[in-house]
Amino acid sequence: MASMALRRLAPLVLALALVAVACSDDGGPGTTTGPLLPGDPEALPAFDLASYDALLSELRGTPVLVNVWASWCGPCEQEAPHLAAANEEYGDRVQFLGVDILDERDAARRFMHEYGWTYPSVYDLNGAIRDGLGLLGQPVTLFYDASGELVTTWTGALTEQALDENLRLIAD
């Protein structure tokens, strides 16, 4: 009699377990629910290529600048002040987003603080986003128009002039 009751409960227990797993959030890449854009610039949530693509879809309707960077990257240090200044100027018209790759979160947060970045970055521990986009090295900056189309890509450290010229392509 007890074994019969267990057999009847087994499918229910299995179904509940599957629902619990499907609804859980382990904090890993691609498990974020709700709006994907981090509200706290220093949150550095883990992202993979799928969550990055989902975020870009979520941001359609707004031009987006995506900068792939790392705290240990010399050219990233060269362009960091230009990005901070451009975000101050264009931040109400263009969504700035960093993709921190192959880095440590604490070092990345120090870098962001040092250069005064007030826009969010996502954390890509293994460089999967950069690699999935077919990009080589860092920094690389991608400029998307409001429809989500990639307008141009800049490889290497952005100069102030190059940054402004490319931002005008998507913001105006």
Side-chain angles (χ1 to χ4, degrees), residues 86-169:
N87 181 55
E88 288 296 315
E89 182 178 345
Y90 287 90
D92 60 337
R93 295 178 285 158
V94 176
Q95 176 61 59
F96 283 61
L97 175 69
V99 177
D100 177 37
I101 64 165
L102 307 170
D103 212 345
E104 295 179 8
R105 278 190 172 108
D106 288 341
R109 288 182 179 114
R110 282 191 299 274
F111 182 95
M112 295 166 68
H113 183 72
E114 178 180 347
Y115 291 104
W117 286 2
T118 58
Y119 57 89
S121 282
V122 298
Y123 184 66
D124 181 11
L125 175 63
N126 300 317
I129 296 169
R130 179 199 61 193
D131 297 347
L133 295 172
L135 306 174
L136 299 174
Q138 59 284 322
V140 176
T141 306
L142 308 164
F143 297 84
Y144 294 91
D145 66 16
S147 70
E149 293 297 315
L150 180 63
V151 173
T152 189
T153 301
W154 185 275
T155 302
L158 281 160
T159 63
E160 187 175 5
Q161 179 181 352
L163 180 56
D164 190 53
E165 288 173 5
N166 285 295
L167 278 167
R168 277 191 262 133
L169 291 174

Side-chain angles (χ1 to χ4, degrees), residues 2 7 18 21 23 35 49 56 65 70 83 90 120-121 128 143 145-146 158:
R7 276 187 267 178
L18 290 173
V21 168
C23 292
L49 185 58
L56 286 183
L65 174 152
L83 288 163
Y90 287 90
S121 282
F143 297 84
D145 66 16
L158 281 160

